[in-house]
Amino acid sequence: MTRAITSDELNKIRGRQWTRWYAIVDAPNTIYSATASGSINKADWTIPFSGGSGTLSDCLADMTLLIGSSAGGWDRGVARLRKSPIAGTFYIGADDSLRCYSGDYLTVINDFAPSARHPVGESMDVDVAYVDQFSAFAPTPVMGERVAVIQAGQTIGFDASASWVIGSSISGYAWQFPGASNTSGTTTATPTATYNSSGRYRVQLTVTAANGRSSVGYGWVYVIGASLQPEANILVDKLEGDADRGWSCRVRMLDRPTIRDRARIVLYAEDYYGDEKISLGPSAGRENLLMIGWIIGETITRRPGSEWVEFDAGGPGGILSSLASLPAGLTDKRFPTDEAATLPPWARVQGLTISKGLHYLLHYRSTLPVVMDVEVEDWNWAAHKLTANADDLWGQLRDFAESGLLACLCDRYGHLYIQRDAALYPLTQRSNIPVVMTLSDADWHDDLSVRRRQMGDAALVELEGYVYANRKAIPTGGRSPGDQPASFGDVEGRSEIAWPNQTTALECAGLMAGALNAEYESITATLPANNRFIDVAPRQYLTVTVDGDAIRCIPRRVIYYRDEDGIPATTVDMEAEGGQWPAKAIEYPNESTPPIENPPTPPTPPPPPPGNPPPPEAPGTGNAVVVVVGDVRTTADLSATNPTWATETPPASGIVDSALDGTTLYLLYENGLWKGEDILATGAPSWTQVLSSGSYPDLASLKFLRVVATSVHGLIYVLGANGADAWFFRSASGGAAWSEPELIAAGAIPTSSQEYSYDGNCSLVSSYYATTPEAPLSPGGHPVNGPRATLLTANEMFAQAWAIYDIGRPLTLSSLTWWWHADGDDIVEISADGSNWTRIWYSRYSWASNIVEVRTQTFTPQTVRYVKFLVERVVGVGNRIDLAWFYFDGGPVYPTAIDAARTNPGWIYVGTQSKIFKSENGGFDWITLLSDRGANDIHVDPQLAGAVYAWDSNGNLVLIVAGVVTSVLDTETPTRKPLRLARDLNSGRLWALKGGTTLRMRNLATWTDQKTGLVGGRGLHAYLGQKLIFLDANNIWVSDDGGTTVTGKKGGWTGYASPINGHRMP
Amino acid sequence: MVEYKIGTTLGGMTLLSSLATPVPWPRATFSMGERTTVASGAARDLGWMSAEWLFPLLTDAQRDQLRTFCTGASATVYIRTQDVDAVYRNYQAVLVWPDDEERRGGLVFDLRLRFRALVLQA
């Protein structure tokens, strides 16, 4: 906390004053005590215990557990409860130095110490498995300040508004003030609590984020009075803070009190300005606080007749420097190091940034958010990897922070700020940095020491690192003042900086050179004043006038003194603010990819080079597999007039796509991919799930959309979507292992509401007394793709008529809107599978009126793929039902177009609603091939990897060669249904299911309608020799002559409906 | 009128002459702290106010009477003494008992009681 001193405060600081300092050495009460009934079980890091005094449920995660050979002792060690205990078992953090024997005394005290959490195996802190911690980030509680010292009857406030969370927002605060006499605002960021009795009180804050995660932080209120007195016989005469490690002090105690190791120490003051007893400081309610720290060192001095002990106390920087920590490293999930495929989940972060790395250290490698306020300035710099080799927590925080040019700074209150140092803060934003005060001649005495540079400190500053984007870490650096160094000074440099861009690298190099060569190197002033507004953190300025120039200075070292007569003094070492020197980009010749430890080579297998195509499996004469939404069937008798279809009983209904690789069939569901081998063997295959959306918790609401098998055995591509992002999944081992998901394009999928209309997006799959299209009856103005009508005309009294539409894929709907003109009992039903219907509307006809209406019907959200409009008891021959249109909010329009080249399966094309993307390296890198159109179906030419056919979003069937639309081959009403294009390897012919109603063959630039009258045609595949298979709502269609002769092969498959895909087999 | 008082509470202060064993008036001095001059030339008093009572000669009984207010090296007491403007005011203070008393023949010479950390009382 920092702010400018007010004029009233300044007047007091410049007047008569004295101060008296006190210390509280924290002595937590016992929460629970028990006796160990065994030693530490290092398999699961537990301690068995028996007996027990206290309430076990009061033992909270991260509380301190003392292990001693005597009651309350800790000679065996001080452990941390890594989670709440259960009867008979304490769970502790892993620490091989701890000892415990049966009969030892176990004491849980009411305190939470800064501790490291260690990875154990692939878990964190012994048994915390990675679930979704890097996708739904935990919030970090910031309580304003964690400690307060007040008198009984006083009220203290907290301010948690600086609590933060990555990728979400703070949605709730829940404060607990046990022992308080009165509280207010306990569900707000700024509560208050009043304490009427002296003592030591715990404060608990639970912050909740909008992403559902929550975190707990603890603070302490020390209420001075009969039950809590500061330490007697204590001497502290100096506090010192420096920018590198924060605050420290030495406390002399004139006797040998029993003080727990690493106990918290709270120094506070009683201050007088004039005759007014008042403390002045930047943080409201904490003006009397001098320093919060922990005892980190002890010196015992004995002299004849007397002895004393001196404790070294340090703030966060001091204690964290003493906390050992195993090396920490994180890699962006998309960074293709060889190791990335095998890195444990705790080492991979989607969209790694500096702040995400620091979040990891804070929440999962330490207990810091539990015990202290930590604020991280988020400059949102992406990093491909972050590595901390320091062996202590402080060093690791600094390692991660310095990758983003951030500094770890601690103030007197034990508040850790990880932020850009003022010297490197952008010039244009420095007006945002508070100026605490302007030091004038009324403020200092003795000497004002100004060290002026005759020679610069840095002849050359080189800041090097990488810009990480699109899965590549590109070497990037800035050199200031340029390639030629200045005349004086050293070469200063830093490396491994995760730059956001080259511009920032130049700016920062220039700022660092400017700081290291500022005219005034340092200014030291001693203020005969009790001025506790000046601190080394957070970022702040003092203004000093030197030679008539007002210079903004950065406090780098601050020392507060007081002597035995209560005389205060403050010494400040300042560094003059620098400017910004020019800088030049560092060139990295012959470095198209970064010189990093693990070059970004794609994981196995490397895409084979273009060349002779692997010939597709020639279909035999008799075998086929057909997939519908809820069934899979095979036949070995396709040539028969009425083939027999054997059911292969899929794992579940809801199939959205399928792919055949040899005799292995892959079934794709929105939440996973299943594999059935030897599909023709007798009996249903043993289905194995080889891909699950649940395996990617980082990709919330991931849906799988399409699967492609490329005829290279085992090479499987899956297209998926997560919100607005299109994702690509690849397995080279038949689903046994998958490479990391690759982002095809962020924001490629419009997430705004998308209206579907029956004639634009849906297929009429079944009807009775229905024709379409008919005269335009739409009232107009509604965004349907061309007004069409389905006319239902009854030819007899009380006739029935219906039309069933296939949306094309299951969608979760909660409403449907339609317009119709009906003369009967009107019924609307919806279904996920075309078999089981839910009625959402029923209206009995009234003779008195025709129904002409636009109706929106809402219903419980459910999966819908089929919509049925049904009219019963049409009144009178010739009366009719006009269904003009229906539409619904279908949510995002997910991409359905994907195909890979058979000549080089590393070439993959994906179409979304508005763009077409291409990868040339097996899906690791994606480029936008066309941005003026999307595609709902793509088919790669079987001989030319660079040529693709696509039903594009403009309503054209186009041929795209080398990224250029070379031909418009056909047109149709836009549709988003896939699997309607096919071309066999060597015939040169192209087949298309235009509009889902007609099989067309293109040969020698001429189209021929081979089969008309189809209903919702899809699942078209062509094989060598012009052998075709395709499906529609009514039949399985097969041709061995390119469509000249097309024969329905549904045979004895009763209940055939909801087709997905058909495959002819070897 | 001379008003030197001492007590363990503000309301319990008693004129030295009214103590159970009356004590003579001391020679009192008062300090506003340590004077410091800042760069502008202005003076500033730093540190706590202090007072000193010097008793040139006390009997042992009178000394012991005063000692009841400070049985150890120091004690918090309340006094009424003259400030630099010779105005009597009440203060809370830390009485520091001298560590080198000169005592001979039932008498105490030049007993110097130092009152530190004076806090003006309303």
Side-chain angles (χ1 to χ4, degrees):
Chain A
M1 171 67 183
T2 186
R3 64 173 174 85
I5 300 179
T6 67
S7 58
D8 180 57
E9 291 165 338
L10 197 55
N11 286 337
K12 288 184 168 64
I13 285 173
R14 287 173 174 167
R16 182 167 63 86
Q17 57 197 279
W18 64 275
T19 185
R20 184 155 49 189
W21 291 0
Y22 297 96
I24 299 170
V25 178
D26 199 34
N29 56 302
T30 296
I31 293 288
Y32 192 83
S33 57
T35 305
S37 55
S39 58
I40 298 172
N41 181 347
K42 294 188 176 181
D44 60 0
W45 290 97
T46 56
I47 301 177
F49 68 87
S50 59
S53 175
T55 303
L56 192 60
S57 60
D58 289 343
C59 300
L60 304 176
D62 295 318
M63 271 186 168
T64 300
L65 171 67
L66 309 180
I67 309 172
S69 58
S70 59
W74 61 87
D75 51 306
R76 307 285 200 223
V78 178
R80 173 179 57 84
L81 296 184
R82 71 174 193 270
K83 57 186 178 183
S84 300
I86 61 173
T89 304
F90 284 123
Y91 301 93
I92 63 172
D95 180 347
D96 272 318
S97 72
L98 296 172
R99 294 168 297 144
C100 182
Y101 305 101
S102 183
D104 277 352
Y105 293 86
L106 306 174
T107 309
V108 179
I109 59 173
N110 188 14
D111 195 26
F112 305 84
S115 303
R117 304 182 198 268
H118 301 302
V120 177
E122 291 206 350
S123 296
M124 200 58 65
D125 205 12
V126 180
D127 56 2
V128 179
Y130 178 82
V131 181
D132 62 351
Q133 289 88 340
F134 294 154
S135 56
F137 287 87
T140 302
V142 175
M143 299 172 69
E145 307 300 347
R146 293 291 178 109
V147 171
V149 177
I150 61 174
Q151 301 292 323
Q154 288 185 327
T155 296
I156 186 69
F158 289 84
D159 185 349
S161 57
S163 300
W164 54 280
V165 58
I166 295 173
S168 186
S169 58
I170 301 296
S171 60
Y173 305 89
W175 296 85
Q176 294 180 34
F177 298 98
S181 307
N182 192 29
T183 62
S184 70
T186 55
T187 59
T188 70
T190 53
T192 63
T194 304
Y195 295 88
N196 289 338
S197 301
S198 63
R200 171 186 184 272
Y201 299 97
R202 188 174 72 218
V203 177
Q204 177 176 326
L205 166 63
T206 302
V207 287
T208 303
N211 62 13
R213 302 294 305 276
S214 62
S215 300
V216 181
Y218 298 96
W220 303 96
V221 177
Y222 298 89
V223 183
I224 303 300
S227 300
L228 179 67
Q229 288 290 318
E231 294 291 327
N233 300 322
I234 193 168
L235 181 61
V236 186
D237 55 15
K238 187 172 81 168
L239 309 175
E240 181 170 343
D242 70 61
D244 279 341
R245 194 171 287 193
W247 286 80
S248 62
C249 68
R250 175 163 284 196
V251 180
R252 174 182 288 191
M253 292 191 171
L254 301 181
D255 49 13
R256 291 286 311 281
T258 300
I259 291 177
R260 183 170 53 87
D261 295 344
R262 301 177 293 283
R264 181 185 302 105
I265 186 165
V266 177
L267 299 175
Y268 69 99
E270 176 185 330
D271 304 300
Y272 290 86
Y273 294 90
D275 288 323
E276 183 182 8
K277 182 182 178 182
I278 184 174
S279 293
L280 301 177
S283 187
R286 278 80 176 170
E287 293 90 347
N288 61 339
L289 287 183
L290 290 165
M291 176 186 152
I292 311 299
W294 291 266
I295 293 174
I296 55 177
E298 179 177 353
T299 304
I300 301 167
T301 302
R302 287 184 174 167
R303 286 181 181 168
S306 66
E307 64 178 2
W308 64 84
V309 59
E310 287 179 316
F311 294 107
D312 292 318
I319 189 78
L320 298 184
S321 299
S322 307
L323 287 177
S325 184
L326 294 172
L330 294 174
T331 300
D332 182 76
K333 267 193 168 180
R334 299 190 63 244
F335 185 64
T337 61
D338 290 340
E339 291 85 348
T342 56
L343 285 174
W346 277 110
R348 299 175 297 169
V349 177
Q350 186 70 44
L352 178 63
T353 62
I354 306 300
S355 57
K356 288 182 180 177
L358 290 165
H359 170 92
Y360 162 72
L361 290 180
L362 295 173
H363 282 261
Y364 302 111
R365 298 298 301 274
S366 76
T367 63
L368 298 194
V370 176
V371 300
M372 65 178 68
D373 282 349
V374 185
E375 292 185 57
V376 173
E377 197 167 68
D378 187 4
W379 292 75
N380 202 28
W381 290 9
H384 63 290
K385 63 163 61 175
L386 295 171
T387 304
N389 291 319
D391 56 8
D392 63 84
L393 207 47
W394 182 246
Q396 293 190 346
L397 285 169
R398 289 180 57 145
D399 284 348
F400 274 26
E402 286 174 0
S403 295
L405 276 189
L406 301 176
C408 295
L409 303 167
C410 307
D411 71 6
R412 294 184 290 112
Y413 305 109
H415 194 133
L416 172 59
Y417 298 87
I418 301 178
Q419 59 181 199
R420 181 83 73 87
D421 187 272
L424 299 179
Y425 209 66
L427 293 180
T428 56
Q429 299 179 42
R430 290 188 180 179
S431 59
N432 298 326
I433 301 176
V435 178
V436 173
M437 65 180 293
T438 296
L439 293 179
S440 75
D441 288 350
D443 293 304
W444 66 74
H445 72 167
D446 296 338
D447 302 323
L448 179 73
S449 172
V450 179
R451 185 173 175 83
R452 184 174 175 278
R453 282 191 172 96
Q454 291 287 323
M455 294 172 284
D457 278 5
L460 198 67
V461 169
E462 287 189 334
L463 300 183
E464 296 186 273
Y466 304 90
V467 171
Y468 179 55
N470 296 325
R471 210 182 48 79
K472 288 189 174 66
I474 307 299
T476 304
R479 181 182 286 136
S480 179
D483 292 338
Q484 299 303 316
S487 300
F488 302 99
D490 301 324
V491 175
E492 301 285 344
R494 286 195 201 174
S495 59
E496 302 296 332
I497 299 168
W499 299 114
N501 49 53
Q502 177 68 69
T503 302
T504 304
L506 296 178
E507 179 188 43
C508 290
L511 289 170
M512 183 173 285
L516 292 172
N517 295 298
E519 179 179 3
Y520 300 107
E521 180 179 354
S522 67
I523 300 172
T524 299
T526 297
L527 317 178
N530 184 22
N531 185 337
R532 296 202 295 268
F533 285 89
I534 305 170
D535 204 333
V536 292
R539 197 170 40 225
Q540 58 192 267
Y541 283 132
L542 298 172
T543 300
V544 182
T545 300
V546 178
D547 293 340
D549 295 328
I551 301 169
R552 286 194 300 202
C553 298
I554 306 163
R556 296 299 192 194
R557 185 164 169 264
V558 180
I559 306 173
Y560 297 143
Y561 303 93
R562 47 80 65 195
D563 70 5
E564 61 182 6
D565 292 322
I567 297 174
T570 305
T571 295
V572 188
D573 289 345
M574 296 164 278
E575 185 178 289
E577 169 196 35
Q580 181 176 342
W581 278 26
K584 183 178 180 182
I586 300 175
E587 295 182 4
Y588 297 91
N590 304 319
E591 293 276 11
S592 59
T593 54
I596 51 181
E597 293 177 9
N598 301 297
T601 53
T604 57
N612 293 327
E617 298 286 354
T621 57
N623 300 330
V625 56
V626 168
V627 178
V628 299
V629 168
D631 202 358
V632 175
R633 299 210 181 185
T634 56
T635 182
D637 194 20
L638 193 61
S639 58
T641 302
N642 292 302
T644 300
W645 292 92
T647 183
E648 307 295 350
T649 311
S653 185
I655 300 167
V656 296
D657 196 13
S658 65
L660 186 69
D661 186 4
T663 59
T664 299
L665 183 67
Y666 295 89
L667 298 180
L668 188 70
Y669 296 82
E670 284 197 337
N671 62 358
L673 180 69
W674 292 73
K675 175 182 183 180
E677 295 180 306
D678 200 5
I679 191 72
L680 283 176
T682 303
S686 176
W687 296 100
T688 304
Q689 186 167 13
V690 294
L691 182 64
S692 169
S693 59
S695 300
Y696 303 96
D698 289 350
L699 306 179
S701 68
L702 172 65
K703 293 177 186 292
F704 297 122
L705 306 167
R706 287 287 312 274
V707 58
V708 174
T710 63
S711 296
V712 176
H713 296 297
L715 189 55
I716 310 297
Y717 296 154
V718 172
L719 176 64
N722 164 40
D725 302 337
W727 290 86
F728 177 79
F729 302 78
R730 188 182 81 157
S731 172
S733 55
W738 293 83
S739 60
E740 289 296 328
E742 296 295 339
L743 182 66
I744 298 170
I749 303 167
T751 55
S752 57
S753 296
Q754 178 68 32
E755 291 178 344
Y756 285 62
S757 61
Y758 79 84
D759 57 348
N761 310 92
C762 308
S763 303
L764 179 67
V765 295
S766 176
S767 65
Y768 182 73
Y769 282 103
T771 58
T772 183
E774 220 263 349
L777 296 175
S778 170
H782 207 277
V784 295
N785 293 318
R788 302 286 183 87
T790 298
L791 174 65
L792 299 93
T793 304
N795 62 358
E796 56 183 299
M797 285 291 287
F798 307 113
Q800 190 179 56
W802 73 79
I804 299 174
Y805 295 92
D806 178 4
I807 295 169
R809 62 177 295 102
L811 295 170
T812 301
L813 300 183
S814 59
S815 73
L816 188 72
T817 299
W818 66 87
W819 182 99
W820 64 2
H821 172 181
D823 283 340
D825 291 353
D826 316 322
I827 299 166
V828 179
E829 296 178 332
I830 54 178
S831 171
D833 57 8
S835 301
N836 301 294
W837 295 93
T838 301
R839 183 164 296 185
I840 61 170
W841 174 251
Y842 173 79
S843 174
R844 185 177 175 84
Y845 167 73
S846 167
W847 279 94
S849 62
N850 291 339
I851 297 172
V852 179
E853 65 177 359
V854 174
R855 172 168 295 279
T856 295
Q857 186 66 21
T858 59
F859 43 88
T860 304
Q862 56 191 285
T863 302
V864 179
R865 177 168 172 174
Y866 300 93
V867 181
K868 179 199 292 183
F869 294 87
L870 171 66
V871 179
E872 294 179 334
R873 300 194 302 171
V874 176
V875 182
V877 173
N879 283 1
R880 55 187 245 178
I881 313 301
D882 299 326
L883 174 64
W885 42 256
F886 70 89
Y887 71 91
F888 49 84
D889 178 356
V893 178
Y894 291 110
T896 56
I898 182 172
D899 201 14
R902 269 57 180 177
T903 53
N904 182 349
W907 286 46
I908 308 163
Y909 297 84
V910 163
T912 65
Q913 188 189 31
S914 58
K915 291 180 182 176
I916 298 175
F917 301 92
K918 176 187 178 185
S919 173
E920 295 182 359
N921 60 0
F924 295 102
D925 294 294
W926 290 88
I927 61 169
T928 301
L929 187 68
L930 289 174
S931 58
D932 64 340
R933 70 194 66 207
N936 54 66
D937 198 4
I938 280 178
H939 183 77
V940 184
D941 188 283
Q943 292 179 309
L944 299 172
V948 292
Y949 301 91
W951 282 115
D952 77 9
S953 53
N954 297 333
N956 300 315
L957 173 56
V958 295
L959 172 62
I960 305 165
V961 179
V964 176
V965 176
T966 60
S967 311
V968 177
L969 306 178
D970 202 355
T971 59
E972 70 165 13
T973 300
T975 173
R976 296 183 177 86
K977 291 186 292 295
L979 290 163
R980 297 181 300 115
L981 289 170
R983 191 163 190 256
D984 78 11
L985 181 61
N986 56 8
S987 72
R989 292 170 172 80
L990 174 70
W991 290 270
L993 291 171
K994 180 177 180 177
T997 61
T998 304
L999 172 70
R1000 311 194 82 196
M1001 182 180 74
R1002 183 179 176 87
N1003 184 31
L1004 300 175
T1006 301
W1007 284 107
T1008 305
D1009 288 355
Q1010 304 287 70
K1011 172 70 176 174
T1012 59
L1014 300 172
V1015 179
R1018 60 175 293 155
L1020 173 62
H1021 293 275
Y1023 302 87
L1024 281 173
Q1026 303 187 56
K1027 295 183 177 178
L1028 306 177
I1029 187 170
F1030 57 98
L1031 316 173
D1032 81 345
N1034 303 313
N1035 218 323
I1036 300 164
W1037 302 100
V1038 172
S1039 175
D1040 289 338
D1041 54 10
T1044 303
T1045 304
V1046 178
T1047 308
K1049 296 289 185 179
K1050 186 172 67 173
W1053 184 347
T1054 58
Y1056 166 84
S1058 311
I1060 294 292
N1061 218 343
H1063 311 273
R1064 296 180 70 166
M1065 303 185 68
Chain B
M1 193 175 86
V2 180
E3 297 180 27
Y4 292 105
K5 294 181 180 180
I6 191 169
T8 57
T9 64
L10 182 61
M13 289 191 297
T14 306
L15 283 170
L16 298 183
S17 58
S18 301
L19 293 170
T21 301
V23 173
W25 303 124
R27 296 176 187 173
T29 59
F30 193 92
S31 169
M32 294 295 287
E34 182 177 300
R35 178 137 306 179
T36 297
T37 303
V38 296
S40 64
R44 180 182 303 170
D45 290 329
L46 297 175
W48 48 53
M49 296 180 291
S50 60
E52 186 175 283
W53 287 354
L54 173 62
F55 298 93
L57 183 63
L58 295 175
T59 65
D60 280 351
Q62 290 169 326
R63 178 263 181 201
D64 292 344
Q65 172 67 67
L66 292 171
R67 186 61 165 155
T68 62
F69 296 102
C70 181
T71 56
S74 66
T76 297
V77 299
Y78 290 84
I79 61 171
R80 182 171 178 83
T81 192
Q82 280 185 324
D83 66 10
V84 290
D85 298 319
V87 176
Y88 282 97
R89 299 183 190 277
N90 298 330
Y91 299 94
Q92 182 197 65
V94 175
L95 168 56
V96 180
W97 196 261
D99 57 2
D100 55 346
E101 297 179 62
E102 184 181 351
R103 305 178 68 171
R104 293 194 303 276
L107 297 176
V108 180
F109 298 91
D110 294 329
L111 182 69
R112 198 178 296 269
L113 300 187
R114 294 185 175 87
F115 299 95
R116 309 171 71 183
L118 266 57
V119 178
L120 183 65
Q121 304 297 297

